Amino acid sequence: MKNNKNLSNWLNEMGLTHPLVIAGPCSAESEEQVLNIAHQLKKTDATVFRAGIWKPRTRPGNFEGVGEIGLKWLKKVKEKTGMLTATEVANPTHVELALRNDIDILWIGARSTVSPFIVQEIAEALKGTHKIVLVKNPVNPDLALWLGAVERLHTSNIKKLGVIHRGFSTYEKTKYRNNPEWQIPIDLQNQFPDLPLILDPSHIAGRRDIIFDLCQTALDLNFDGLMIETHHEPDNAWSDAKQQITPAILKKITGDLRIRKEEGDAIEYQIKLDSLRSRINSIDHKLTEILGKRMQIADEIGTLKKNSNVAILQNKRWNEILEKMVLEGKDNKLSEEFVLKIYKAIHQESINHQKRIVNK
Ligand code: PEP
Ligand code: MN
């Protein structure tokens, strides 16, 4: 594909495929595992092999990566398959070892991007490197922090820079492991259209069944590549087992993705339309989810009213809500008529929910 984005960057210059597909296990586990997966990936659209060598684990006591020896295995992957190799670096020692072992792409993980001190140390260790450096978004939804990390690397004279969108952590449980918050990468792309933007659907999803949809959304939003965790036996993976897919599934996913190859007015229109529609879909998804949550609270109020033998309809409270929402609606350029219609429908649904509980 390339579409309305002018790729005057290193992706183009290096003749890399578009979209760039980076795949491989969450963690390197053994030489056999790494080589086995790499040979299977050779038959897919993946051109870069990823594997974590040093793993940032939330709780101690879990598998924390094989360490330096894994870099030799990645070197072997390159020799045997010709794929480029990629791994995460989280401190200057990692950088030195990765560079010494000729790793092609070094990425900074989400837990490192949050720390300007760590990013600065990594940037200094990488000074002037010709290797590709990719920056994952910080775990918290903060565009300035993400861009700050990119700036620190840019200041270190690193030319082949890119970013990876891996979603943002929330305390609330949703269908995602990390919320995509698409508006953040969209804003980033608007400010820096030439900075390659790669989606990591694996860490956003935390599961296998929504990886395809995430990838399609990203392509519709003009992302430049995908980084997908891939394992020969996902269920037995030593880390992130639930989200990894087999090379065969990866092949199916990238084969089914709608990727446009031509330029032209009609295509441009379609791409822009798809991009806007993806944003609408993501907002609709949130709207429905939030309405569902509102109704769960209405259910709890229903139980409370039932236990205290109080009537469901409380006119005073209802009129207060309406007044407040009409005012907030104005601030958001929504007509009074529309706000009243929506809130009456929401209120009715709340009453139905509470009725069901009270009359149970
Ligand atoms: C990973 O890519 O395996 C990883 C640890 O990712 P993140 O930094 O996005 O959590
Ligand atoms: Mn992982």
Side-chain angles (χ1 to χ4, degrees):
M1 134 160 157
K2 217 28 201 192
N3 33 50
N4 55 356
K5 198 155 154 186
N6 195 3
L7 264 200
S8 59
N9 55 44
W10 52 264
L11 263 177
N12 249 8
E13 283 155 19
M14 293 179 71
L16 289 168
T17 53
H18 195 280
L20 181 67
V21 180
I22 304 172
C26 177
S27 304
E29 296 166 8
S30 68
E31 183 171 333
E32 298 69 51
Q33 174 244 21
V34 162
L35 287 170
N36 181 356
I37 298 171
H39 281 297
Q40 291 189 40
L41 284 173
K42 194 62 191 154
K43 297 176 213 136
T44 70
D45 290 328
T47 51
V48 182
F49 184 83
R50 68 147 279 158
I53 301 295
W54 300 284
K55 299 304 297 177
R57 305 310 297 270
T58 303
R59 306 280 298 270
N62 290 321
F63 171 61
E64 293 191 328
V66 293
E68 191 178 346
I69 186 152
L71 297 170
K72 305 269 175 286
W73 307 341
L74 288 181
K75 248 180 148 174
K76 261 207 180 141
V77 165
K78 185 151 52 170
E79 278 163 29
K80 302 266 183 211
T81 66
M83 293 176 92
L84 297 182
T85 52
T87 200
E88 172 178 349
V89 289
N91 62 40
T93 312
H94 295 168
V95 170
E96 194 200 313
L97 291 170
L99 292 179
R100 204 189 295 155
N101 284 278
D102 205 25
I103 300 296
D104 303 287
I105 301 183
L106 291 76
W107 83 79
I108 298 183
R111 289 163 195 79
S112 301
T113 310
V114 290
S115 166
F117 288 132
I118 286 289
V119 173
Q120 188 58 36
E121 282 183 12
I122 296 175
E124 275 160 32
L126 281 165
K127 208 164 218 142
T129 184
H130 297 294
K131 300 291 186 186
I132 298 166
V133 181
L134 304 176
V135 186
K136 286 203 173 194
N137 62 263
V139 283
N140 54 322
D142 185 338
L143 179 56
L145 195 55
W146 196 359
L147 288 176
V150 175
E151 273 164 14
R152 285 174 199 278
L153 293 159
H154 184 73
T155 306
S156 259
N157 209 16
I158 295 155
K159 301 276 189 253
K160 293 177 192 153
L161 272 175
V163 288
I164 303 176
H165 172 38
R166 51 78 80 196
F168 301 91
S169 118
T170 50
Y171 185 60
E172 230 173 327
K173 287 281 151 268
T174 70
K175 76 167 181 173
Y176 301 108
R177 177 175 174 196
N178 291 290
N179 265 346
E181 308 285 3
W182 292 106
Q183 197 55 48
I184 293 178
I186 289 168
D187 287 346
L188 181 143
Q189 190 172 208
N190 281 338
Q191 287 184 49
F192 298 94
D194 289 332
L195 192 62
L197 172 57
I198 292 164
L199 178 81
D200 169 352
S202 308
H203 291 89
I204 293 181
R207 48 198 261 191
R208 295 170 196 146
D209 59 331
I210 52 177
I211 286 179
F212 174 83
D213 283 345
L214 287 164
C215 292
Q216 187 61 61
T217 301
L219 293 185
D220 292 341
L221 293 172
N222 297 329
F223 276 53
D224 302 286
L226 306 165
M227 182 198 254
I228 306 179
E229 285 189 342
T230 313
H231 194 285
H232 64 303
E233 287 176 345
D235 285 335
N236 296 327
W238 295 2
S239 59
D240 288 351
K242 286 205 190 93
Q243 70 199 31
Q244 302 205 56
I245 56 173
T246 59
I249 299 283
L250 176 79
K251 195 174 161 98
K252 169 103 181 74
I253 287 179
T254 56
D256 288 347
L257 287 170
R258 275 183 292 119
I259 300 171
R260 285 170 244 287
K261 290 203 166 63
E262 298 149 56
E263 304 264 347
D265 278 354
I267 295 281
E268 203 126 297
Y269 159 82
Q270 197 56 46
I271 285 167
K272 283 194 176 136
L273 188 66
D274 283 351
S275 154
L276 292 168
R277 283 184 174 158
S278 296
R279 288 164 66 185
I280 294 250
N281 289 348
S282 137
I283 287 177
D284 282 347
H285 165 74
K286 280 191 192 153
L287 275 176
T288 317
E289 215 172 48
I290 254 174
L291 285 172
K293 281 187 187 142
R294 193 191 192 280
M295 294 310 152
Q296 279 171 21
I297 299 177
D299 287 346
E300 284 182 40
I301 294 181
T303 308
L304 201 64
K305 284 178 178 167
K306 180 184 174 134
N307 293 343
S308 307
N309 207 20
V310 170
I312 290 177
L313 184 60
Q314 300 284 327
N315 267 320
K316 185 163 164 283
R317 161 81 178 145
W318 169 230
N319 285 325
E320 279 167 10
I321 293 185
L322 274 188
E323 263 171 49
K324 190 160 167 269
M325 287 306 118
V326 166
L327 283 179
E328 283 194 20
K330 272 202 188 111
D331 290 345
N332 287 291
K333 299 195 169 68
L334 302 173
S335 72
E336 179 167 339
E337 185 198 355
F338 173 72
V339 172
L340 290 177
K341 232 187 242 165
I342 292 277
Y343 271 88
K344 280 181 185 159
I346 290 177
H347 189 228
Q348 190 55 55
E349 180 73 4
S350 281
I351 290 179
N352 295 347
H353 268 249
Q354 293 190 12
K355 260 195 203 153
R356 243 174 270 146
I357 299 220
V358 169
N359 299 329
K360 212 191 260 167

